[in-house]
Amino acid sequence: MRKALAHQIQAAARHGSLADGTDCLTVSIDDVERIARQSGRNGRQVEIAALQDHILPDRYLRNMKTLTIADQLCLLESAVCVIGLGGLGGLVTETLARTGVGRFHLVDGDVFESHNLNRQLLSRTDTIGVSKADAAVMRIRHINPGIEVSCTPSFLTIENADRLVNQCHLAVDCLDNIQSRFILQTAARHAGIPMVSAAIAGMCGHVTTIFPEDEGLEAIYGPPDQQQPTKGAELHLGCLATTVNLIASLECAETLNVLLGKDNTLRNRLLLIDLADYTFETLRLF
């Protein structure tokens, strides 16, 4: 079966070039979808087989040089759970899907409201009242129908957290309250996976990465039993699209670095950003 799939991909391959003119073999989006149908596989599996033969799917041509073929394979084989699909989560989901993360589980029990329109990528006037989780799934399928994606249109709770993350390699915290972040951190520790966490308010935001053995959120917020059951500073400062876009991009960059095993991550560090005066600071947590 593997040989038959490789033969189909090789037959469809054509000569192309990277942005700098480097020659390469490529396979088109249409051919990936056709081979997937004919072989009974999904597009992600076809793309993985192509990359294993050093044939680049067209959609990833502009990833090359910054990423390697081995990096692209790693991303396609990775599974990420994105929890919270509002301002941060919608942009994170979109960016990671376009970059080539191959499997997603998306979690949010909310629906779109009109006040989401200022910053949430997946919200439109015709999606008011629509499940954010369902909208995120559809968005991924429009970007790349070969990606494997599932969703849970429910809020994260102590009861469901372990189940939501235990099949993934990394959890991305796009939540809007501190209490839920602590629940997610505990579930990620149980699953033995890292968590990339971000928060925004007004023109400020921060990003960090927490591995299971790290002190994590306690170093930022203090003990979980001392947290008040309210949302954060965004209630008083609002949420601007400019801040959301920047912090979501940084959260994606950190997610890719962690998945690819890079050394220069924000583990045990907190990146603080204030767009009001263009301040970028990185604090060591301990």
Side-chain angles (χ1 to χ4, degrees):
M1 295 290 288
R2 171 72 179 88
K3 289 183 178 179
L5 179 60
H7 178 74
Q8 286 179 285
I9 295 169
Q10 289 162 6
R14 51 189 172 78
H15 288 282
S17 62
L18 303 182
D20 66 354
T22 302
D23 291 335
C24 62
L25 288 176
T26 69
V27 60
S28 71
I29 292 171
D30 289 343
D31 282 330
V32 167
E33 294 181 358
R34 174 183 57 79
I35 293 168
R37 289 192 302 270
Q38 292 175 348
S39 65
R41 292 171 169 83
N42 60 39
R44 183 185 77 92
Q45 294 167 324
V46 174
E47 290 179 350
I48 287 173
L51 288 165
Q52 288 172 338
D53 283 339
H54 292 267
I55 298 171
L56 280 168
D58 277 351
R59 68 171 68 248
Y60 304 125
L61 283 173
R62 292 301 182 265
N63 284 358
M64 293 300 104
K65 298 297 185 173
T66 297
L67 300 182
T68 66
I69 286 179
D71 290 338
Q72 198 68 64
L73 271 168
C74 178
L75 295 180
L76 279 169
E77 291 171 342
S78 296
V80 169
C81 185
V82 181
I83 305 91
L85 299 167
L88 286 175
L91 282 156
V92 164
T93 299
E94 167 109 359
T95 303
L96 294 179
R98 290 188 183 277
T99 307
V101 171
R103 291 181 288 165
F104 287 87
H105 189 72
L106 309 174
V107 181
D108 199 319
D110 205 0
V111 299
F112 290 115
E113 300 178 66
S114 56
H115 61 76
N116 300 146
L117 291 168
N118 79 313
R119 70 198 183 282
Q120 296 191 13
L121 176 71
L122 302 178
S123 67
R124 305 189 308 265
T125 54
D126 61 337
T127 60
I128 302 301
V130 171
S131 160
K132 293 182 180 181
D134 290 342
V137 170
M138 290 303 299
R139 182 72 174 190
I140 286 183
R141 288 178 176 162
H142 284 303
I143 293 168
N144 183 351
I147 288 176
E148 297 175 17
V149 55
S150 60
C151 75
T152 297
S154 303
F155 292 108
L156 181 81
T157 65
I158 294 173
E159 292 73 25
N160 68 15
D162 286 349
R163 173 178 56 82
L164 295 177
V165 305
N166 65 8
Q167 297 299 314
C168 295
H169 299 115
L170 182 146
V172 187
D173 161 25
C174 299
L175 293 157
D176 63 359
N177 67 87
I178 296 170
Q179 292 73 30
S180 294
R181 290 194 182 99
F182 274 104
I183 293 172
L184 179 57
Q185 176 178 260
T186 299
R189 285 172 173 167
H190 290 167
I193 62 174
M195 166 177 136
V196 176
S197 179
I200 57 170
M203 299 189 75
C204 301
H206 69 241
V207 185
T208 191
T209 290
I210 302 164
F211 278 70
E213 59 271 30
D214 298 340
E215 182 176 352
L217 296 175
E218 290 88 338
I220 302 171
Y221 301 115
D225 58 2
Q226 294 182 13
Q227 305 305 316
Q228 298 299 315
T230 59
K231 292 190 177 182
E234 65 182 86
L235 286 179
H236 309 287
L237 298 176
C239 296
L240 295 183
T242 49
T243 313
V244 172
N245 294 348
L246 175 58
I247 299 299
S249 293
L250 292 169
E251 198 169 18
C252 287
E254 185 67 0
T255 296
L256 297 174
N257 284 338
V258 174
L259 289 174
L260 296 174
K262 305 296 186 182
D263 293 329
N264 187 31
T265 69
L266 290 170
R267 183 180 183 183
N268 294 328
R269 298 190 294 161
L270 184 68
L271 174 60
L272 295 164
I273 293 162
D274 186 348
L275 289 176
D277 59 5
Y278 296 104
T279 300
F280 288 67
E281 296 180 289
T282 304
L283 306 181
R284 184 160 293 280
L285 295 176
F286 51 86

